[in-house]
Amino acid sequence: MLVGCSLNNAFAFCPSRHTSYMEAGNHTEESQFLLLGLSEHPDLQPLLFGAFLSVYLVTVLGNLLIILAVSSDPHLHTPMYFFLSNLSFVDICFVSTTVPKVLVNLQAQSKDISYTGCLTQVYFFMIFAVMDGFLLTVMAYDRFVAICHPLHYMVIMNPHLCGLLVLMSWFIIFLVALVHILLLRRLTFCIGTKIPHFFCELAQMIMVACSDTLVNKIFLFVATALLGVFPLTGILLSYSRIALSLMRMSSAGGKYKAFSTCGSHLSAVSLYYGTSLGVYLSSDGTHSPQRSSAASVMYTVVTPMLNPFIYSLRNKDVKGALGRLLGRGAPCP
């Protein structure tokens, strides 16, 4: 007899005696989950494949061009563009964590993902998702120092501090993600458990587990509060100080120049936290899993694709560097 094991509308069932299930510490490559994806309609699969492939190629190419432009142009060897190149690298890794597996499953018309592959995807997805938020926070602090303390900018934002901020962010995120994975390995999952998403996401994994998940939920809540609320608070504090500084400026030209340096970053912050909020609001029990998955596409796929356009179209320095970079590769007449 099968006993329901799902939590909060999970789709799997846990066995009472004879049906196979996966216990912590006893997983094999044959143990698999089923990713339900965005749609099960056969006619939509080619369209989804083309859309995901196009967005993935544009994302990788756009962010790679930003990295090459920053590294090749001496005028962009400043703290702001150092953080921007790091953001582009993280965005490439971010989409590469989920989209290639989606493309493989769509092409093979399969929904399978191994237990090891699922945990690996959860681990790296957490790392790059949170690192995006950390880098946006550091970039907000960089803009605060540049506008509010311009005479001391290069002294405060020295290469040592910039490197230390990035390394500390990586260290904290690696540690928190590792704890999540260790807690996840304690849980029991049924073989063939269905995950109502197009990738393995931590909250969904906890939801479909067959064993007690109280510790996982508590740590997830605490980690989300610390790694989500604190960075957002830092961004809001930085821009509140920037706004006060701009109000004290008498020159309209100075105000415009200061605001123009923050415009791209504000757009990226609004996109990142706006789509994150959309995913959170669509993940409650009143919405279907397909709607939650569709909302996640904006956060996990579309946002990394748009960041290069945001920082290049509104930034003369980046546009100039990209023009010089692409001009080098063009053949001479």
Side-chain angles (χ1 to χ4, degrees):
M1 181 180 70
L2 293 178
V3 180
C5 79
S6 60
L7 298 175
N8 299 330
N9 298 324
F11 291 88
F13 290 89
C14 265
S16 57
R17 285 186 183 176
H18 304 296
T19 307
S20 299
Y21 61 94
M22 297 183 285
E23 294 181 339
N26 187 28
H27 305 284
T28 65
E29 281 301 318
E30 287 72 29
S31 303
Q32 291 182 331
F33 295 106
L34 298 177
L35 296 171
L36 298 185
L38 293 170
S39 174
E40 297 185 7
H41 200 288
D43 295 339
L44 291 179
Q45 304 308 305
L47 295 177
L48 290 174
F49 180 85
F52 271 93
L53 179 61
S54 301
V55 170
Y56 181 67
L57 293 177
V58 170
T59 302
V60 173
L61 179 60
N63 284 286
L64 187 59
L65 284 174
I66 294 291
I67 294 173
L68 293 175
V70 171
S71 60
S72 63
D73 195 321
H75 297 92
L76 300 184
H77 292 176
T78 62
M80 180 174 69
Y81 296 111
F82 168 74
F83 296 129
L84 177 59
S85 61
N86 275 271
L87 181 66
S88 294
F89 170 75
V90 170
D91 281 341
I92 292 175
C93 297
F94 192 23
V95 295
S96 298
T97 303
T98 56
V99 175
K101 181 58 179 175
V102 174
L103 295 174
V104 169
N105 283 2
L106 288 172
Q107 181 66 22
Q109 297 184 356
S110 169
K111 299 180 181 296
D112 297 343
I113 185 170
S114 67
Y115 172 80
T116 302
C118 200
L119 286 191
T120 302
Q121 197 174 68
V122 170
Y123 180 69
F124 285 106
F125 179 84
M126 285 189 294
I127 288 174
F128 298 125
V130 179
M131 190 63 187
D132 250 5
F134 272 34
L135 285 173
L136 290 174
T137 305
V138 172
M139 293 170 76
Y141 176 71
D142 172 76
R143 292 299 82 207
F144 158 70
V145 176
I147 294 174
C148 299
H149 305 282
L151 299 180
H152 303 285
Y153 175 68
M154 295 308 299
V155 176
I156 298 175
M157 300 302 296
N158 58 77
H160 177 74
L161 178 63
C162 294
L164 183 62
L165 288 173
V166 173
L167 288 176
M168 285 299 296
S169 298
W170 282 114
F171 176 76
I172 293 171
I173 295 167
F174 275 128
L175 185 62
V176 173
L178 180 60
V179 175
H180 273 301
I181 294 300
L182 293 177
L183 290 175
L184 205 58
R185 283 184 58 84
R186 298 170 54 253
L187 303 180
T188 301
F189 298 93
C190 307
I191 292 179
T193 294
K194 296 179 181 179
I195 301 175
H197 219 306
F198 64 93
F199 67 95
C200 292
E201 196 260 340
L202 178 61
Q204 294 289 344
M205 292 286 291
I206 295 175
M207 187 182 298
V208 300
C210 299
S211 52
D212 180 44
T213 59
L214 178 61
V215 176
N216 297 74
K217 291 179 178 178
I218 292 175
F219 187 73
L220 177 60
F221 176 80
V222 173
T224 302
L226 294 178
L227 302 182
V229 175
F230 280 176
L232 179 59
T233 302
I235 293 173
L236 294 176
L237 288 176
S238 296
Y239 274 102
S240 64
R241 296 291 300 275
I242 289 173
L244 291 175
S245 179
L246 292 178
M247 291 175 62
R248 290 195 293 264
M249 284 186 181
S250 57
S251 170
K255 290 183 179 180
Y256 176 78
K257 183 178 180 180
F259 181 77
S260 64
T261 63
C262 301
S264 299
H265 182 257
L266 278 172
S267 300
V269 169
S270 301
L271 188 62
Y272 176 82
Y273 283 100
T275 53
S276 301
L277 181 61
V279 171
Y280 173 78
L281 293 177
S282 65
S283 298
D284 58 31
T286 61
H287 295 92
S288 66
Q290 287 77 15
R291 184 170 179 178
S292 299
S293 297
S296 296
V297 172
M298 287 295 298
Y299 168 58
T300 59
V301 181
V302 177
T303 298
M305 179 191 70
L306 293 180
N307 278 341
F309 295 99
I310 291 174
Y311 282 101
S312 60
L313 295 178
R314 302 188 61 175
N315 191 304
K316 294 181 180 180
D317 294 332
V318 175
K319 283 196 292 186
L322 286 173
R324 289 186 289 271
L325 176 66
L326 297 176
R328 292 173 189 173
C332 295

